Amino acid sequence: MTIGTIKELGAQGKTVLLRLDLNSPIDPSTNLILDDKRFREHLPTIRALTGSRVVIVTHQSRPGKKDFTTLEAHAEKLGQLLGKPVTYVDSIFGRHAREAVQAMKIGEVLMLENVRFNAEENLTLKPEDAKKTHLVKKLSSMADVFVNDAFGTAHRSQPTVVGLPMAMRSAGGLLMEKEVFTLSKVFSGAPRPVCMMLGGTKVDDSIDVARHVLDRGIADQVIVIGVVANVFLIAAGYNIGKPSTQLIAQLKYQEEIGKAKEILVRYRDKVIMPQSVAVRENNHRVEYPVTKIPEDAPVLDIGMDAIHDCIQVLKKSGTVVFNGPAGLFEEADFATGTYELLRAASQVEFSVVGGGHTAAVIEKMGLENDFTHISTGGGACIEFLTGKKLPAVDALEQSKKIFG
């Protein structure tokens, strides 16, 4: 089953509800948008809808957070990047919003208020229940068709993500289409050997990915780095020192140690763990083999020997999926692992990066054009790689069945 595309939708001359993910880092004191990467990713889809009236539905942050704010600055930023005005309406579906949409001309773009200002959007619902919300009923009555380009929220079962496709003819935007197509290729048709590099602090997700790709024979090798590696090292019987062991407890990942152990029992020859690490001692980077990690020093990166071993594996790989950093990359002393591995991964034939912090590092390194695909959704990407059907994609597939 596939999702509908903009080409098939026939949106010319129609009013299109377009769900984007413009959730960006902002300065809460000035509302200044600090990174417009997500805006730039959506431009091709907006331009592809030039012959329509485009009504943007998007969000910033969530209730209770400091950066939960209105979208006035977002409309202005999008207008600058598009090279034409984007009208901001400080209402989601009230009379003011409905009248503004009715008054639109072909080619115009309008942005509704932060959709998470509406309590219903913060609920997790099944598509049929999401369709019955006031939010979906009101929004769907304001337009002819729906396009979802918000891959970053594709793993959420929220009304605008899963309810709108049940209420109206729908399609995936160009970004959604590209993400789904490229990530699906990892599962079938990716050049072999396939190597998964799993790091960062999302240990539970990474372990789900590792289990899925090894059980299904999708990956030939899994390299673990970052906090994920620390959990595997404990599972393999190494003492990683008090600070790093405490961090795992603090992140509530003790249960994952047992799961890592199971993976090692079944796939020991396919899981590559760092054999050396870098710790902080007297404010300096000091390296140790994993058999001699000091009791009171935090593990903050993989060591040079481990970097060398990983690069040898990457050089022989046809595909690499890179998700999560190798250490505390924000500090120059402990960025070596992340930087060197990304540099090596960028030279592999088919290279996919799972969004988030890693994407920011790639941009800083100026390597963004050297990777096959850099995902715009960290959470959505990793959930896709665990083999789960993303709620947004599922809803778009169902919509195609219902509305053709």
Side-chain angles (χ1 to χ4, degrees), residues 194-225:
V194 174
C195 173
M196 291 268 171
M197 189 161 262
L198 304 172
T201 56
K202 286 187 175 168
V203 177
D204 47 354
D205 290 339
S206 294
I207 282 180
D208 284 350
V209 173
R211 192 193 290 121
H212 178 68
V213 297
L214 290 168
D215 283 352
R216 298 291 169 93
I218 293 159
D220 299 286
Q221 276 160 323
V222 170
I223 296 177
V224 290
I225 50 179

Side-chain angles (χ1 to χ4, degrees), residues 260-277:
K261 220 173 249 177
E262 280 169 34
I263 291 171
L264 288 174
V265 166
R266 293 169 66 190
Y267 304 107
R268 185 65 197 87
D269 55 330
K270 293 188 174 181
V271 178
I272 296 164
M273 294 180 283
Q275 291 308 301
S276 66
V277 295

Side-chain angles (χ1 to χ4, degrees), residues 26-134:
I26 63 173
D27 179 346
S29 60
T30 59
N31 262 10
L32 194 71
I33 292 159
L34 304 172
D35 180 5
D36 61 11
K37 184 176 175 6
R38 283 193 163 170
F39 289 77
R40 287 181 275 124
E41 295 280 359
H42 287 304
L43 294 178
T45 297
I46 301 170
R47 292 192 176 119
L49 294 166
T50 302
S52 316
R53 300 172 201 87
V54 177
V55 180
I56 294 170
V57 176
T58 187
H59 69 279
Q60 170 64 40
S61 193
R62 57 168 70 114
K65 292 207 159 185
K66 277 183 186 149
D67 56 352
F68 187 52
T69 182
T70 71
L71 299 183
E72 200 165 355
H74 295 65
E76 198 177 317
K77 170 64 75 180
L78 188 60
Q80 287 165 6
L81 294 168
L82 264 181
K84 67 177 184 183
V86 172
T87 309
Y88 159 71
V89 180
D90 65 350
S91 163
I92 300 168
F93 56 66
R95 190 202 288 174
H96 178 41
R98 291 198 306 274
E99 287 173 356
V101 171
Q102 280 160 7
M104 287 175 80
K105 294 181 177 65
I106 297 293
E108 288 185 344
V109 182
L110 177 147
M111 189 182 291
L112 298 171
E113 186 52 283
N114 187 343
V115 73
R116 287 189 180 167
F117 280 8
N118 181 281
E120 286 182 320
E121 179 66 358
N122 301 296
L123 300 172
T124 297
L125 299 170
K126 289 194 175 88
E128 309 74 52
D129 297 328
K131 181 188 173 183
K132 295 172 192 161
T133 59
H134 293 292

Side-chain angles (χ1 to χ4, degrees), residues 220 246 324 357 392:
D220 299 286
Q246 281 172 343
H357 295 309

Side-chain angles (χ1 to χ4, degrees), residues 4 22 32 47 52 67 77 120 136 155 167 169 184 199 211 242-243 255-256 262 301 321 333 337-338 350 376:
L22 298 179
L32 194 71
R47 292 192 176 119
S52 316
D67 56 352
K77 170 64 75 180
E120 286 182 320
V136 166
H155 57 311
R169 194 148 183 256
S184 297
R211 192 193 290 121
K242 217 188 225 166
E255 261 182 47
E256 303 302 319
E262 280 169 34
D301 194 11
V321 178
D333 270 358
T338 303
F350 184 64
T376 53

